[in-house]
Amino acid sequence: MSTADHQANHDVVKHSERHEGPQKHIIVFIFSIILTAIAFAAVSAGGVNAAFTVILLLVMAVLQVLVQLGYWMHLKDRGHLMPILFMIGGFFVAGTAIVTALYWVWW
Amino acid sequence: MSTTHAETVDGALPHEPEKATLEGRNKVLSFWLFLGGEAVLFGTLFATFLALRNQTNEGPTAGELFQLPMTAAATLILLVSSLTSVFAVQAMHRHKVAALRVWLMITVLLGLGFLGLEIYEFAEYVRAEKFGMTTSAFSSAFYTLVGFHGAHVAFGVLWISVLIGQLYKKGLTVVTAPKVYVSAMYWHFIDVVWVFIFTVVYLLGKVG
Amino acid sequence: MAHAHSVKRHKGLMDWLTTVDHKKIAILYLLAGGLFFGIGGIEAVLIRLQLIKPMNDFVSAQTFNELITMHGTTMIFLGVMPVIFALMNAVIPLQIGARDVAFPFLNSLGFWTFLFGGILLNLSWIMGGAPDAGWTAYTPLSTTTYSTTHGVDFYTVGLQIAGLGTLIGGINFLATIITMRAPGMSFMRMPMFTWTSFITSAMILFAFPAITVGLVLLSFDRILGANFFEVANGGNPVLWQHIFWIFGHPEVYILILPAFGVISEVIPTFARKRLFGYSSMVFATILIAFLGFMVWAHHMFTTGLGPVANALFSIATMLIAVPTGIKIFNWLFTMWGGQIRFTSPNLFAIGFIPTFVMGGVTGVMLASAPADFQFHDTYFVVAHFHYVIVGGLVSGLLSGLHYWWPKMFGRMLNESLGKLSFWFFIIGFHLTFFVQHFLGLMGMQRRVFTYLPNQGFDTLNMVSTIGAILMGIGILIFLINAIVTATKPKGVADDPWEDGRTLEWAIPSPPPEYNFKQIPLVRGIDALWKEKMAGNKGMTPAEPLGPIHMPSPTILPFVMSVGIFIAGLGFMFSKEQFSNSFMSLIFNNWIVVIIGLLITFGSMLLRSLYDDHGWHIEVDELDEEGVKA
């Protein structure tokens, strides 16, 4: 390894000190665990109003997905305009299909 | 994990090697586009499931079938594996190839654990509950939705395993880095889909 | 990084099987599209011959059902889609100033999977009967109870494979347009054909996964005994209709938008005027795409969705007339005051406008739910969608083919033959389909193989069939024109129409394999026209002359598609009772499926393990060829 290469490598190491640490991702993980736990607890406890439980479960799921998309998949970072647009598009069409199946399919 | 395997790393490798080349950036972008399409794919499967979830044809119902502890275990496994693939990408950004490989291996093992649980679950349903593909519209929709997700997990396990091999052979380069990054995106997306599956299929199935 | 890799250059057939060059893939798409378009056209003529007189017995009722099913399916999925992809491949990288698409390998893979899917579907004719449940394959008609041959299995598996190819192509073009544009070409400077192709690709991305799921469900019902659409076991046929049309309605906009793009290129060129209302055209395209996903249930007014849903979908459908009207007026205003030349591409483009307006007007009539109860499943609907798809889309594609033919092949199509084919086509078209409006209003049902005499149907059906034959002659003249032109020597100018406005006319016809010796700098809408008006000889390069990196040719996409094809056949016949014990061994134990998947995944693995470093064209080679930037 030449000196120049070594220098470059050194720079990289130095640069890596400025990398984000794992803390943020561990927080996201704990947040996800809590949301999941709330959802499971709400169902296993039973006795809670069913309509309320449904709404609670969906809110927990959407929150968890948003956090994971934003942080773990970096959608909140700069330069992700196209990914965000196309994910919104995908979720929008998926939502259309789901609403249809719930309200416009009958026997 | 203690050594950084500097010899496998090109000294000039940038901080985000997956975005160093146009090919790499194209790969990441197109994978996002693909995930947009996957969202519609799973959305349509969810729609099918939601339309047919109460059509049990006198077979087992969701409330009778599902065991929440098993679902919770599967959920935990997949959630942890999503975290380990975050760590893998972080290791990649620090150019720590050995750590990267270890995190990917843990991810693969967790993926295998998830698959094992799912196969056991399906086998139990078929054996003990007489709940097969042909039992009812609900059973068809259940196996198709959850099975599609399982097939995605299986493909991810194979894919990441191949990448681990490539990291041994080729090291971390501007060619291998986008592959790792994209496979991590795929893995997160599988986890995202699972969040909706455990919520909509299992938990809402229990609520009724 | 001097990767001095020598590249194996193939000749003849191997060159075409291994090519990753978008210009050659365009020609492959055109050939395949032409083949399937021909098959679909013959089916159309057979349908019209059966209907030429009352109580005809030219074909049986069963054959008629197979003909209408295969005509619709072939034309939509295998006829016009690949011709659209041919134009997109031939033109888009050139229009945005790129050397290739984002993923040359995927481009090739998309073509071969599409082709093998199409072949699988058409094998049904010689393997026990074609699908017979209509191109919409409505359940329960398409379930094993009512469709007992393997026809619908060919439909589900064949379309699944072809659809995969289309999806791959769509993602590839999205990435290409987002990342590969030349310096200076912002989104709002892109040519309209590139814009409409971009939006079409986005619609492909969001619509095709829905039909993927639909086809999976139907094939699981038919082959694995699942119950998605089996009412007796809790399934639901309305679900199929929703899934099909959530895909199916966007699909028709996927088809028409590129044709809008072609018209938006041809009309300004031959009017020697800038496209009127460029920004509103872009906006209208996006709006049409959005509304395209919001109106699928207008195909299902008579299903019984109820008055609220029907009213909502009625209004949404009528709204589409607004952005479409914007486009029509923009084309008219582009021609207004222009120096119009009536070349063959421009004839097709000008013919497109009134024809498409007529199809649009009947569309608004059909959008009215109460009226639709009367029109539904009559020849009025048949007339409507042929006006937009044949009079609109096919006219647009023929316009585009005449327009870009010199760029694709280096030879001008014969203008006299082009004009002759236009007049046969347009007159034949209106004769065929105009009268069908009235047949429908008089109550003639679509998809019925014959009709009784003396209901007022006889003369109009005769007229319609004569029109179909004239239209067929028009297409044949185009084919003869193409063949005659192929025998002429190459050597048209860079800008053979002399008024080219966009980047593809700045480079030789046909372009060298690297397209641009130096990537051009774009300084406005209609990049080339802007330079012409500034008195410049050509485009200003945006980079110094240097070696050009090229992707290596590869056979893997072809092999992968063969693998999928084998797996598809294996899946279809997995539950078949074979008399031959060897056949039953390999099919009933999924061995064929596994072999097919191994071939495909094995090829994927090879692709992943061996990096494609590509090869370089050196500067002195560029100079030898003496090409302008």
Side-chain angles (χ1 to χ4, degrees), chain A residues 14-75:
Chain A
K14 255 187 142 172
H15 182 69
S16 73
E17 284 163 8
R18 282 185 274 117
H19 290 186
E20 54 181 24
Q23 300 88 348
K24 199 171 66 186
H25 296 301
I26 291 173
I27 292 169
V28 171
F29 177 74
I30 293 168
F31 187 62
S32 299
I33 290 274
I34 293 171
L35 292 175
T36 309
I38 293 173
F40 274 88
V43 175
S44 0
V48 195
N49 177 327
F52 175 77
T53 316
V54 171
I55 293 168
L56 179 78
L57 291 182
L58 292 178
V59 171
M60 296 295 121
V62 169
L63 273 180
Q64 180 168 172
V65 164
L66 284 181
V67 170
Q68 293 190 6
L69 282 173
Y71 285 86
W72 285 358
M73 299 178 79
H74 302 286
L75 267 192

Side-chain angles (χ1 to χ4, degrees), chain B residues 1-49:
Chain B
M1 232 179 113
S2 53
T3 60
T4 53
H5 279 272
E7 74 275 8
T8 57
V9 177
D10 185 344
L13 209 58
H15 163 52
E16 290 184 327
E18 74 273 10
K19 290 173 187 155
T21 61
L22 177 63
E23 286 78 13
R25 289 192 296 276
N26 278 347
K27 250 184 204 170
V28 174
L29 171 74
S30 314
F31 206 77
W32 273 114
L33 305 179
F34 170 73
L35 290 184
E38 285 268 280
V40 180
L41 184 106
F42 278 104
T44 315
L45 285 168
F46 272 108
T48 307
F49 176 83

Side-chain angles (χ1 to χ4, degrees), chain C residues 311-473:
Chain C
L312 283 174
F313 282 105
S314 269
I315 293 164
T317 306
M318 290 177 188
L319 273 180
I320 295 186
V322 176
T324 314
I326 291 175
K327 281 180 172 281
I328 301 283
F329 280 109
N330 280 339
W331 291 321
L332 294 179
F333 289 140
T334 306
M335 286 193 280
W336 184 269
Q339 298 160 279
I340 302 173
R341 283 198 290 153
F342 291 95
T343 57
S344 48
N346 206 23
L347 280 179
F348 278 104
I350 293 171
F352 168 98
I353 297 175
T355 313
F356 190 81
V357 168
M358 289 172 74
V361 168
T362 51
V364 176
M365 290 169 74
L366 285 162
S368 168
D372 183 68
F373 274 70
Q374 202 60 213
F375 302 141
H376 192 80
D377 266 351
T378 69
Y379 266 80
F380 189 82
V381 178
V382 176
H384 158 70
F385 67 70
H386 282 93
Y387 259 82
V388 284
I389 291 185
V390 183
L393 170 61
V394 176
S395 284
L397 291 179
L398 286 170
S399 171
L401 285 173
H402 281 85
Y403 182 57
W404 281 304
W405 200 272
K407 190 50 67 182
M408 288 176 78
F409 297 99
R411 302 171 177 95
M412 289 289 268
L413 284 172
N414 183 304
E415 273 291 284
S416 310
L417 282 177
K419 287 173 185 167
L420 193 64
S421 92
F422 166 75
W423 287 112
F424 267 100
F425 179 81
I426 194 89
I427 293 171
F429 167 79
H430 282 283
L431 268 185
T432 313
F433 294 108
F434 189 70
V435 294
Q436 291 188 4
H437 291 113
F438 302 102
L439 281 170
L441 293 175
M442 288 191 277
M444 183 168 161
Q445 292 289 301
R446 67 189 281 210
R447 291 179 171 168
V448 178
F449 82 110
T450 192
Y451 51 93
L452 290 169
N454 302 320
Q455 304 180 90
F457 297 169
D458 308 10
T459 316
L460 294 182
N461 269 303
M462 171 70 93
V463 170
S464 184
T465 301
I466 291 170
I469 291 166
L470 289 181
M471 196 166 35
I473 293 172

Side-chain angles (χ1 to χ4, degrees), chain C residues 205-338:
Chain C
L205 177 65
F206 296 135
F208 270 73
I211 194 66
T212 300
V213 170
L215 293 171
V216 164
L217 305 185
L218 184 55
S219 57
F220 278 15
D221 263 18
R222 289 182 56 89
I223 295 166
L224 303 182
N227 303 309
F228 295 105
F229 311 117
E230 285 294 340
V231 180
N233 296 335
N236 192 320
V238 180
L239 182 65
W240 166 264
Q241 297 190 17
H242 276 303
I243 293 177
F244 185 86
W245 287 117
I246 283 177
F247 150 79
H249 198 79
E251 165 70 10
V252 300
Y253 291 92
I254 288 168
L255 297 176
I256 197 65
L257 284 181
F260 287 169
V262 171
I263 306 300
S264 305
E265 299 287 332
V266 170
I267 283 184
T269 302
F270 295 110
R272 287 177 58 91
K273 263 182 77 190
R274 183 179 150 166
L275 182 67
F276 186 91
Y278 173 87
S279 319
S280 67
M281 281 297 219
V282 172
F283 174 72
T285 309
I286 296 171
L287 201 59
I288 290 173
F290 173 74
L291 289 172
F293 277 97
M294 296 283 92
V295 296
W296 76 93
H298 67 218
H299 298 269
M300 299 165 61
F301 282 150
T302 58
T303 310
L305 291 165
V308 175
N310 276 4
L312 283 174
F313 282 105
S314 269
I315 293 164
T317 306
M318 290 177 188
L319 273 180
I320 295 186
V322 176
T324 314
I326 291 175
K327 281 180 172 281
I328 301 283
F329 280 109
N330 280 339
W331 291 321
L332 294 179
F333 289 140
T334 306
M335 286 193 280
W336 184 269

Side-chain angles (χ1 to χ4, degrees), chain B residues 26 30 134 140 144 166 170 179, chain C residues 103 179 225 227 608-609 611:
Chain B
N26 278 347
S30 314
T134 56
S140 303
T144 306
Q166 290 194 36
K170 302 176 189 166
K179 297 184 185 182
Chain C
F103 303 101
T179 65
N227 303 309
S608 180
L609 291 182
D611 297 340

